[in-house]
């Protein structure tokens, strides 16, 4: 019988998940099944080296997926102990290469598919999940808008799998309580419909009315089968992302990471970035002017979340809205534009009546923003003239190119540093390496959703909240912004370093629990009576560690 290193883990693992450098004591009955000098630390390093030898992101994904299947304890130890490295290989690779090619690299069942053809029996399909009703968190996608890749249909499942891996590693949610789901509603991408190996339903997507009926049945069935489950919607098309979040958020325990998670993590980074910029310029925080390039679900979701930044400065919502401008493929979004999508009306300007501003540089000249945020998935959209213009009007220009992955990012960190002469306050959606410029080292910020959604989910689960409220999302952002160490502040960072993700997640989850209590949506009433310090320790104690934790939420 094959021996997994999972079976050889010691009964106690330090909270840092650091493994012993000495070979494990192997019982006599198992001698010879592992090499004489085997140690988990050495084997972990060996596995990491094997991953790095793979030539492409897709190869690394296949390698890590295989590791997860045969030795999940080692997989999660590797991810947790090497978060900055493995996060890129596990999630970024999944989000592009793996999804595009998923039907061709599929090897084993990894999640649950709920098909349009299952309508009328969705609850029965959900009950087929081998984990029973123990589910606490599900990531659900319909594959209709996978980042900048378009409609991938049933190939979108790796997005759900990857997000749940980050729940497990980043916040200590138990693997057995996670449920990745792809809603297979067809695809409008012809190359998949014509692909012999395509895994999904070979039909175009249903009408809005058909999808509404399907979604209503699905959500009701989820509540029946998994009564304690939190649902995270992921990568729905822009209109449907807003539509189904608004449709279910007051009835079920649900949130949308593209809208609320992205908004929350950007809000956190912007809080710290605005403080840095205002310290340099003397500009009051309430007078920052934010320009968004990209007005899809993520862009508008982030913009709405940033309203709370201004509200904390004593500004009412209408005044706060006037500090935010949005730009889409047609230029500055203004009220009265023919054919304007519903979700774009909220920030449409009513104070501009001049000729259409279709070029970003012209919009910058008009707005004179202190911050430029990109959620367009257009590589290089922030050209040298645009960045130089931002640097000309701001002592510390705030530049957040937030599109994922790297090859869709609006500007690289290297260019942003050089074109602003090192004055940029930077955060990206994708990881970048440090930059050396004029003898100084610059470390990029990464507005990574994994700072927020795992901790938001953990706090929701632990508090047994019946809904995810706006305050819970907002307080997650505030807690993240306050989680930097003195060293991280001294280094000019606006986000904590990823190698502290468990500590940061515990702090955020604690704030989420308190927000749920304040809003009266919590049902774990015992936690209302404990101190903040005790609550934080209780949360840390509930975090799962590879092979050792028996935690039940």
């Amino acid at each position: 019988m094959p021996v997994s290193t999972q079976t050889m883990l010691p009964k106690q693992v330090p909270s840092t998940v650091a493994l012993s450098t000495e070979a494990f004591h192997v019982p006599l009955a198992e001698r010879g099944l592992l090499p004489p000098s085997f140690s988990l630390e050495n084997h972990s390093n060996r596995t990491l080296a094997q991953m790095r030898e793979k030539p492409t992101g897709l190869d690394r994904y296949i390698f890590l997926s295989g590791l997860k299947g045969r030795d999940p304890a080692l997989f999660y130890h590797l991810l947790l102990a090497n978060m900055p490295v493995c996060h890129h290989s596990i999630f970024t690779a999944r989000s592009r290469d793996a999804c595009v090619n998923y039907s061709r690299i599929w090897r084993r069942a990894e999640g649950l598919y709920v098909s349009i053809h299952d309508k009328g029996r969705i609850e029965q399909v959900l009950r087929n999940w081998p984990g029973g009703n123990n589910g606490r968190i599900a990531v659900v996608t319909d594959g209709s808008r996978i980042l900048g890749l378009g409609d991938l249909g049933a190939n979108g499942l790796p997005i759900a799998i990857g997000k749940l891996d980050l729940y497990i590693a980043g916040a200590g949610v138990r693997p057995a309580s996670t449920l990745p789901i792809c809603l297979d509603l067809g695809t409008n991408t012809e190359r998949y419909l014509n692909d012999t190996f395509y895994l999904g339903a070979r039909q175009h997507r249903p009408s809005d009315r058909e999808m509404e009926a399907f979604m209503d049945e699905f959500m009701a069935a989820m509540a029946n089968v998994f009564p304690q489950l939190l649902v995270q919607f992921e990568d729905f098309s822009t209109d449907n992302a807003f539509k189904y979040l608004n449709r279910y958020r007051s009835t079920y325990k649900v949130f949308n990471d593209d809208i609320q998670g992205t908004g929350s993590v950007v809000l956190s980074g912007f809080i710290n970035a605005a403080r840095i910029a205002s310290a340099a310029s003397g500009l009051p925080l309430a007078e920052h002017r934010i320009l968004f390039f990209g007005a899809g679900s993520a862009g508008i979701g982030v913009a709405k979340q940033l309203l709370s930044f201004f509200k904390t400065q004593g500004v009412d919502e209408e005044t706060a809205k006037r500090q935010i401008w949005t730009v889409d493929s047609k230029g500055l979004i203004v009220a009265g534009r023919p054919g304007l999508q519903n979700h774009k009306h909220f920030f449409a300007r009513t104070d501009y009546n001049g000729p259409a501003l279709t070029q970003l540089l012209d919009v910058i000249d008009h707005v004179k923003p202190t911050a430029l945020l990109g959620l367009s998935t257009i590589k290089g959209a922030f050209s040298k003239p645009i960045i130089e213009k931002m640097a000309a009007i701001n002592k510390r220009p705030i530049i957040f190119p937030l599109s994922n992955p790297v090859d869709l990012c609006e500007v690289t960190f290297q260019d942003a540093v050089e074109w602003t002469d090192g004055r940029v306050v930077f955060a990206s959606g994708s990881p970048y390496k440090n930059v050396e410029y004029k003898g100084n080292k610059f470390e990029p910020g990464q507005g990574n959703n994994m700072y927020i959604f795992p901790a938001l989910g953990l706090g929701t689960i632990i508090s047994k909240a019946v809904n995810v409220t706006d305050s819970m999302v907002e307080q997650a952002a505030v807690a993240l912004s306050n989680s930097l160490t003195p060293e991280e502040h001294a280094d000019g960072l606006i986000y904590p370093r990823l190698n502290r993700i468990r500590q940061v997640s515990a702090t955020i989850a604690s704030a989420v629990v308190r927000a749920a209590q304040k809003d009266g949506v919590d049902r774990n009433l015992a936690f209302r009576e404990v101190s903040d310090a005790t609550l934080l320790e209780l949360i840390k104690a509930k975090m799962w560690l590879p092979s050792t934790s028996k935690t039940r939420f």
Side-chain angles (χ1 to χ4, degrees), residues 29-47:
E30 296 174 355
R31 297 283 292 183
L33 298 178
L34 290 174
S37 296
F38 175 85
S39 75
L40 276 180
E41 181 182 31
N42 186 264
H43 186 46
S44 177
N45 291 335
R46 177 188 300 109
T47 305

Side-chain angles (χ1 to χ4, degrees), residues 37 40 85 109 129 160 182 185 228 233 247 256 294 308 329 374 413 546:
S37 296
L40 276 180
V85 174
W129 180 246
C182 183
L185 302 172
Q228 299 184 70
F233 285 145
R247 190 179 183 93
N256 185 298
S308 62
S329 60
F413 183 46

Side-chain angles (χ1 to χ4, degrees), residues 138-153:
V139 175
V140 178
T141 184
D142 72 344
S144 59
R145 189 195 60 83
I146 304 296
L147 298 175
L149 304 175
D151 182 357
L152 302 189

Side-chain angles (χ1 to χ4, degrees), residues 417-428:
V417 170
E418 292 180 359
W419 295 343
T420 63
D421 196 29
R423 292 184 286 118
V424 68
V425 184
F426 182 94
S428 61

Side-chain angles (χ1 to χ4, degrees), residues 383-393 418-420 423:
S383 63
K384 185 176 182 181
I386 286 170
I387 299 299
E388 288 180 338
K389 173 64 73 172
M390 288 293 297
I393 60 178
E418 292 180 359
W419 295 343
T420 63
R423 292 184 286 118

Side-chain angles (χ1 to χ4, degrees), residues 486-505:
E487 178 189 1
E488 289 166 339
H489 278 297
D491 288 340
L493 301 186
I494 58 175
Y495 291 106
R497 293 188 172 98
L498 267 180
N499 58 9
R500 295 199 303 112
I501 188 62
R502 281 286 180 101
Q503 177 185 350
V504 172
S505 290

